[in-house]
Amino acid sequence: GRSAGARGERSISAARRALESRAMAVASAHGGMIEASQALALYGKRLSAAREACNGSGFKSFARQAPAWSSSQGDDYADESTSDGEVLAELLSADMASEASASVGKAAVVSGEAVCLCAHCSLPLGLVAYCCDGLQGSYLHGECMAQHMAKTMRQEEEQRRKADLELKVVRREAYDIGWKPEVIPRNAESAAKLGCDVKPQGMSCIVAENDKLRVAATLEPEAAVNLEYLCIALQVRRTEGREPLFSLDPLNEDDAEAKEGEPEASMQLKRFEPEWLAGTSVGEVMFQADYHLKELSMGEYEQPVIGMRSCLDYSGADSEDTEWSAREWFVVRKAEMRVSEDNVLVPCLRMGVEAREQIAGADGLEDAPITRPDHPLVKYAEAFTHNFDLIAER
């Protein structure tokens, strides 16, 4: 209350000094023919008329010109119906009303005149101002309006990203997407199922002795194998005569038509070969690896190696501004078993990523006969293959 009263007294004092200065200037201009009090009364009258004339403009700006003065107005000198106290009250009325209601905007007394202030920077408005939808009854400078709009857009984008992240978390939990170290099979349990004499507590390796294989503990990461993964892979080779395979394929036409308009219509089908891989630890790790590769290629996460670009980055820099569809997958470029000096089998393999553009065919999307080497997904596959060992370590 004391600070508000002090501000009011200072504003009144400033306005009074400005009016008295103006009155003295008018009296001097007329050669002392009128007194300062008469000039003050006439100036207050003209100021009130000018203010009433601009009430319909929506906001008060600086008065660029003072009310006209001429010798023909001598009859008005005796009119003292508008006292200096009423003039001061009128000058401060906008400020008082503004402080009473914050929704109307900001106002202040500058050089004896009540003016509107910018709702963003609190500086006086000029002849041009902008109405802000988010701040009812307030006005802003052009630069302040631009800053306000940019801030609003950033807030909306942040809210959109937050909503997308929340939806993504719900979907990943619902469909069990995301690899976790806790799901890695333990060698101790696998060794017990196989009836091995040694039950390793850490890493395990395979040792060849007298045309037989046995499980042993090891401290060398290069020789370590996961017994459950190895057993399932060998079972696929023995029963199917091939390597395990996983792929995410689009829904067939019947399923897509049945689910048209539903969120499930945009989903893909898990395809395991052989089918009994579904639900096994090998099938699960193949699905998670394939899905994470697609997320990385589409820029969902930060790239694992500095300098790598997502296929969306390559697509933005592509000279051909066309829509495209493609797929990518892990491949085994080379695989062999080496034997160390102490008869330990050391697996040696070279992995990579391949990509192929897809085109619409009679049965849906089909692999294109030729994929151009500068295709965005092909470029990403080459970069991923080049850094594969470093990415695997991380």
Side-chain angles (χ1 to χ4, degrees):
R2 293 181 179 177
S3 59
R7 289 199 304 269
E9 292 177 1
R10 288 195 297 269
S11 299
I12 293 175
S13 300
R16 184 182 297 276
R17 288 194 299 271
L19 288 175
E20 290 177 351
S21 176
R22 179 61 181 170
M24 293 297 294
V26 172
S28 299
H30 286 76
M33 295 178 60
I34 61 174
E35 296 181 358
S37 58
Q38 293 176 329
L40 178 62
L42 182 58
Y43 184 74
K45 182 178 179 180
R46 297 301 182 188
L47 183 62
S48 300
R51 189 177 305 283
E52 292 176 359
C54 71
N55 278 340
S57 62
F59 64 92
K60 300 178 180 60
S61 179
F62 283 115
R64 300 302 179 185
Q65 296 180 354
W69 299 88
S70 64
S71 59
S72 62
Q73 298 168 344
D75 295 337
D76 296 331
Y77 292 159
D79 186 2
E80 299 182 358
S81 59
T82 304
S83 64
D84 57 346
E86 293 174 345
V87 173
L88 291 174
E90 182 180 1
L91 288 172
L92 299 176
S93 60
D95 191 24
M96 299 304 180
S98 159
E99 293 181 357
S101 177
S103 63
V104 178
K106 296 181 180 179
V109 175
V110 179
S111 298
E113 182 180 359
V115 296
C116 275
L117 303 180
C118 175
H120 180 77
C121 64
S122 299
L123 294 177
L125 294 169
L127 294 176
V128 179
Y130 295 85
C131 182
C132 180
D133 295 336
L135 301 173
Q136 184 178 5
S138 298
Y139 299 92
L140 292 84
H141 297 109
E143 297 83 354
C144 297
M145 187 66 180
Q147 296 180 13
H148 176 74
M149 293 179 65
K151 180 180 178 181
T152 302
M153 293 176 64
R154 287 195 298 268
Q155 291 176 348
E156 293 176 353
E157 179 67 14
E158 185 66 24
Q159 293 176 358
R160 185 191 64 80
R161 290 183 179 181
K162 184 177 180 181
D164 291 345
L165 180 59
E166 293 176 353
L167 178 60
K168 184 182 296 185
V169 171
V170 173
R171 291 286 179 84
R172 291 176 73 90
E173 292 180 355
Y175 295 97
D176 197 17
I177 299 175
W179 182 82
K180 304 179 181 63
E182 294 80 11
V183 302
I184 300 177
R186 303 299 179 184
N187 281 338
E189 299 176 0
S190 301
K193 293 180 181 178
L194 294 173
C196 299
D197 296 335
V198 179
K199 295 183 179 180
Q201 299 298 320
M203 295 181 294
S204 303
C205 66
I206 305 298
V207 181
E209 290 181 350
N210 301 324
D211 298 331
K212 293 183 179 181
L213 301 177
R214 67 179 181 86
V215 178
T218 183
L219 298 176
E220 296 295 334
E222 293 183 354
V225 295
N226 187 286
L227 296 179
E228 184 170 328
Y229 291 162
L230 177 61
C231 291
I232 295 177
L234 292 175
Q235 186 178 358
V236 173
R237 171 62 67 176
R238 183 174 63 86
T239 58
E240 306 293 336
R242 54 165 301 167
E243 69 279 358
L245 183 143
F246 170 80
S247 176
L248 276 176
D249 297 336
L251 297 176
N252 55 45
E253 295 183 358
D254 296 336
D255 293 338
E257 292 178 357
K259 298 180 179 180
E260 185 176 1
E262 300 179 3
E264 289 77 6
S266 61
M267 295 186 180
Q268 294 182 318
L269 180 67
K270 296 180 182 179
R271 181 167 65 90
F272 295 93
E273 292 184 9
E275 294 183 355
W276 56 263
L277 275 178
T280 64
S281 58
V282 172
E284 180 65 16
V285 74
M286 293 176 70
F287 160 67
Q288 299 293 352
D290 185 81
Y291 194 89
H292 191 59
L293 174 64
K294 292 176 171 56
E295 288 183 317
L296 286 174
S297 65
M298 292 298 157
E300 285 289 327
Y301 299 101
E302 184 178 354
Q303 296 303 314
V305 177
I306 297 177
M308 282 188 62
R309 302 166 63 188
S310 68
C311 66
L312 294 182
D313 296 331
Y314 287 116
S315 180
D318 193 355
S319 59
E320 297 186 12
D321 188 14
T322 57
E323 296 183 358
W324 52 266
S325 177
R327 66 188 183 98
E328 60 184 348
W329 62 94
F330 288 108
V331 294
V332 179
R333 296 287 180 84
K334 181 181 179 180
E336 61 183 10
M337 296 294 294
R338 298 176 181 177
V339 182
S340 66
E341 295 180 354
D342 50 355
N343 296 326
V344 175
L345 300 182
V346 181
C348 180
L349 70 157
R350 185 162 56 91
M351 299 287 294
V353 175
E354 290 186 359
R356 180 70 62 84
E357 188 172 6
Q358 292 185 306
I359 58 177
D363 299 328
L365 292 177
E366 299 176 355
D367 290 341
I370 299 177
T371 301
R372 54 189 174 94
D374 59 344
H375 191 279
L377 201 58
V378 173
K379 290 183 177 180
Y380 184 81
E382 293 176 352
F384 200 100
T385 300
H386 179 73
N387 297 289
F388 199 102
D389 293 340
L390 181 58
I391 295 173
E393 290 179 359
R394 296 182 176 181

